[in-house]
Amino acid sequence: DSLTVAELAKKLYKEPSEIIKKLFMLGVMATINQELDKDSIELIAGEYGVEVEEEIRIDATDLEVYFTEDDAEQVQERPSVVTIMGHVDHGKTTLLDSIRNTKVTAGEAGGITQHIGAYQVEVEGKKITFLDTPGHAAFTTMRARGAKVTDIAIIVVAADDGVMPQTVEAINHAKAAEVPIIIAVNKMDKEAANPDRVMQELTEYELVPEAWGGDTIFVPLSALSGEGIDNLLEMIILVTEVEELKANPKRLALGTVIEAQLDKGRGSVATLLVQNGTLKVGDPIVVGNTYGRVRAMVNDLGRRVKDAGPSAPVEITGLNDVPQAGDRFVVFEDEKTARSVGEARATQALQAQRGEKSKVSLETLFEQMKQGEMKDLNLVLKADVQGSVEALAASLLKIEVEGVNIRIIHTGVGAINESDITLASASNAIVIGFNVRPDVNAKRTAEAEGVEIRLHRIIYKVMEEIEAAMKGMLDPEF
Ligand code: GDP
């Protein structure tokens, strides 16, 4: 079989010029109508992570295929996308509101803030995008669906309250996602504020301030009075520079759904975070299992806009159905392709719903290990008291089986909650409950996500079970 450059480009949903350039880099001079041999086709397809079968067949319905790297010459700096997490009542919402109110993009004053799930502020001529849903539930739900959206996590700790269970959850969620962390020590205006205690407590989680020889940025502030917020924004800019976040504003847009709902008047409304490229009104688009054409775009100030570049959040209409938060979106060259990819995805989703999906389970662990799919066995441990958590963790870490490492990605005291499950789902982990049970939401989510929960009352039973699974000797549990 052979294809011309133009035909191959079309199959890969790329510009012919891009293919010609790639060929040139591989030492093949080609024109647009030139026939390519099988080797060249395979080479080029491989560059895009596409496997060539007998006849050129591409899984064009897998949206991840389109999230390709850009040429170094085409990329530019992009704003960072920030999520604020922390314990309840430590001031996440107040901080988000306060940043927004004091820093609404200069020159755009007069706009009426519109809650679309994310907003942008400008600091020293640079933009920062904040996701407007505080907390790690949204953060990890997205990650569980395969979308890495957040570049920097701000963890808010109230200076009068110190590190609390959800602070620890937030830290572990951010660490599991390998996202840089900035600590906002909030409520500094309060009499009882004790920032040293916060810093002391956080050293336990390897978050050590620079003054104590670590590399974690701590910013004391008051979300209520606004004091220290400028400093926090400067630190975000600093970390953004270190991270060297890049995107190519010239390509067709791709990114992730922040939120979506059905609006009585406007139909399906979705807030999209553009992660690469530029999104334009009129663009043919596939969003999750939906598709359409971008009819209208509104920014976080409620203004109609014609385009949205990298890291910008915009609310769009024009989709045939309502997508889900965490879904990927991809813009296509023409409406016909968008429609066929969108329809194929909707059909696949229906079929998948009927089948079962399942993540790691102890019963299949050994098989996965043998096939080289698993090197780490990720665990989330919950127990009734701190002493048990520690004893259990220490014992588990002593198990030695060649070929697998045990990684404990989160521990906590109390019932297994939804946050434990989403974290386990995103990290392909098993949840172990010691003298505790999952709550209703956790149970439901675990079933939906295919996360395995094992409940025990005796430490050596946990050890026995994990060790047996690692060695492939586990009796199936019915
Ligand atoms: P969230 O649950 O983390 O979103 O916390 P909220 O933003 O709702 O704040 C919880 C409470 O703490 C509210 O009553 C806020 O007014 C108060 N609060 C938040 N930030 C500060 C602060 O910097 N100083 C003081 N004194 N109170 C604050």
Side-chain angles (χ1 to χ4, degrees):
D1 297 21
S2 80
L3 287 172
T4 66
V5 170
E7 285 164 347
L8 176 62
K10 197 157 172 236
K11 285 200 186 284
L12 291 165
Y13 302 107
K14 300 286 164 196
E15 289 291 341
S17 62
E18 194 181 325
I19 305 292
I20 290 172
K21 199 162 142 209
K22 278 251 169 359
L23 282 163
F24 179 76
M25 311 263 254
L26 296 166
V28 183
M29 302 289 267
T31 58
I32 187 156
N33 291 317
Q34 189 160 330
E35 300 245 324
L36 295 171
D37 57 45
K38 195 161 165 274
D39 285 351
S40 308
I41 293 172
E42 270 175 5
L43 263 176
I44 294 293
E47 293 267 305
Y48 294 108
V50 170
E51 263 187 40
V52 180
E53 292 179 10
E54 232 172 80
E55 144 197 19
I56 308 281
R57 220 193 62 199
I58 293 159
D59 185 9
T61 59
D62 178 5
L63 296 185
E64 293 306 321
V65 167
Y66 304 97
F67 283 67
T68 50
E69 293 247 339
D70 288 279
D71 287 342
E73 320 98 69
Q74 287 183 314
V75 296
Q76 295 177 13
E77 262 179 43
R78 67 166 175 84
S80 52
V81 178
V82 178
T83 299
I84 297 186
M85 307 197 268
H87 195 70
V88 63
D89 280 346
H90 278 198
K92 299 179 292 291
T93 314
T94 311
L95 183 59
L96 272 165
D97 289 345
S98 181
I99 291 170
R100 172 180 205 138
N101 295 337
T102 52
K103 287 286 164 192
V104 169
T105 318
E108 286 209 270
I112 303 158
T113 56
Q114 191 100 353
H115 280 271
I116 63 169
Y119 66 81
Q120 273 192 325
V121 298
E122 203 168 307
V123 184
E124 297 163 10
K126 295 192 170 170
K127 288 183 171 153
I128 305 172
T129 303
F130 285 90
L131 297 184
D132 213 351
T133 336
H136 47 262
F139 174 81
T140 300
T141 304
M142 284 206 197
R143 209 163 69 76
R145 315 200 71 224
K148 187 176 189 254
V149 171
T150 302
D151 301 305
I152 300 173
I154 308 289
I155 296 182
V156 178
V157 189
D160 61 339
D161 203 20
V163 172
M164 287 296 177
Q166 286 164 31
T167 316
V168 178
E169 285 181 17
I171 292 168
N172 290 336
H173 282 240
K175 282 190 173 173
E178 296 176 4
V179 170
I181 295 172
I182 295 176
I183 306 291
V185 185
N186 190 31
K187 306 201 185 183
M188 286 298 289
D189 58 287
K190 281 197 156 182
E191 194 88 42
N194 186 352
D196 277 348
R197 182 179 132 213
V198 173
M199 289 193 269
Q200 188 61 53
E201 287 171 344
L202 284 173
T203 55
E204 232 183 88
Y205 304 94
E206 287 144 37
L207 297 169
V208 181
E210 280 168 345
W212 297 356
D215 58 4
T216 305
I217 299 174
F218 282 72
V219 183
L221 52 83
S222 165
L224 207 59
S225 75
E227 198 154 336
I229 288 186
D230 280 338
N231 196 9
L232 175 68
L233 296 173
E234 270 167 38
M235 290 304 147
I236 295 173
I237 297 287
L238 196 85
V239 174
T240 305
E241 275 161 16
V242 173
E243 293 289 301
E244 295 188 344
L245 306 168
K246 300 274 167 64
N248 171 10
K250 293 216 176 77
R251 70 188 275 177
L252 297 175
L254 14 107
T256 301
V257 178
I258 303 298
E259 57 179 52
Q261 71 270 339
L262 194 63
D263 181 279
K264 272 193 195 123
R266 295 183 295 163
S268 165
V269 178
T271 296
L272 306 183
L273 178 75
V274 179
Q275 291 179 280
N276 205 348
T278 298
L279 183 65
K280 303 190 180 89
V281 168
D283 274 348
I285 192 168
V286 173
V287 185
N289 304 324
T290 73
Y291 66 92
R293 226 176 222 289
V294 178
R295 196 187 304 144
M297 286 206 285
V298 175
N299 69 9
D300 54 316
L301 294 169
R303 296 236 164 84
R304 278 193 170 235
V305 289
K306 289 209 170 69
D307 43 49
S311 301
V314 275
E315 193 183 72
I316 69 152
T317 54
L319 299 175
N320 72 328
D321 203 348
V322 185
Q324 281 183 282
D327 276 348
R328 298 293 219 172
F329 77 83
V330 172
V331 166
F332 288 85
E333 207 84 49
D334 58 284
E335 199 165 0
K336 214 175 117 210
T337 315
R339 171 191 280 267
S340 71
V341 171
E343 279 173 352
R345 286 183 57 82
T347 312
Q348 283 172 5
L350 269 179
Q351 284 165 351
Q353 253 177 24
R354 296 189 197 116
E356 279 288 305
K357 70 166 181 172
S358 130
K359 309 220 152 164
V360 56
S361 78
L362 285 184
E363 266 118 55
T364 59
L365 175 67
F366 189 65
E367 274 311 305
Q368 287 175 292
M369 279 165 45
K370 271 203 308 207
Q371 287 160 18
E373 287 167 15
M374 295 265 306
K375 289 194 185 64
D376 289 327
L377 173 58
N378 291 339
L379 298 175
V380 171
L381 306 183
K382 291 298 283 278
D384 50 345
V385 291
Q386 187 60 29
S388 307
V389 175
E390 279 160 20
L392 189 58
S395 314
L396 283 167
L397 290 173
K398 279 195 210 122
I399 298 179
E400 275 188 33
V401 173
E402 213 183 297
V404 221
N405 296 314
I406 290 189
R407 268 183 62 205
I408 297 170
I409 58 167
H410 176 62
T411 62
V413 174
I416 297 165
N417 60 31
E418 201 173 354
S419 157
D420 298 324
I421 304 296
T422 47
L423 178 61
S425 173
S427 309
N428 202 20
I430 288 168
V431 181
I432 296 177
F434 187 77
N435 282 329
V436 293
R437 308 192 62 82
D439 65 27
V440 180
N441 287 335
K443 234 180 183 155
R444 200 195 49 220
T445 312
E447 270 162 28
E449 302 276 324
V451 170
E452 184 171 21
I453 303 175
R454 312 290 291 203
L455 303 174
H456 287 280
R457 299 191 160 273
I458 302 167
I459 288 194
Y460 84 79
K461 286 275 183 202
V462 184
M463 309 269 298
E464 240 176 44
E465 179 177 272
I466 298 282
E467 195 164 348
M470 289 165 83
K471 289 181 174 158
M473 304 178 310
L474 193 74
D475 293 327
E477 202 179 72
F478 295 106

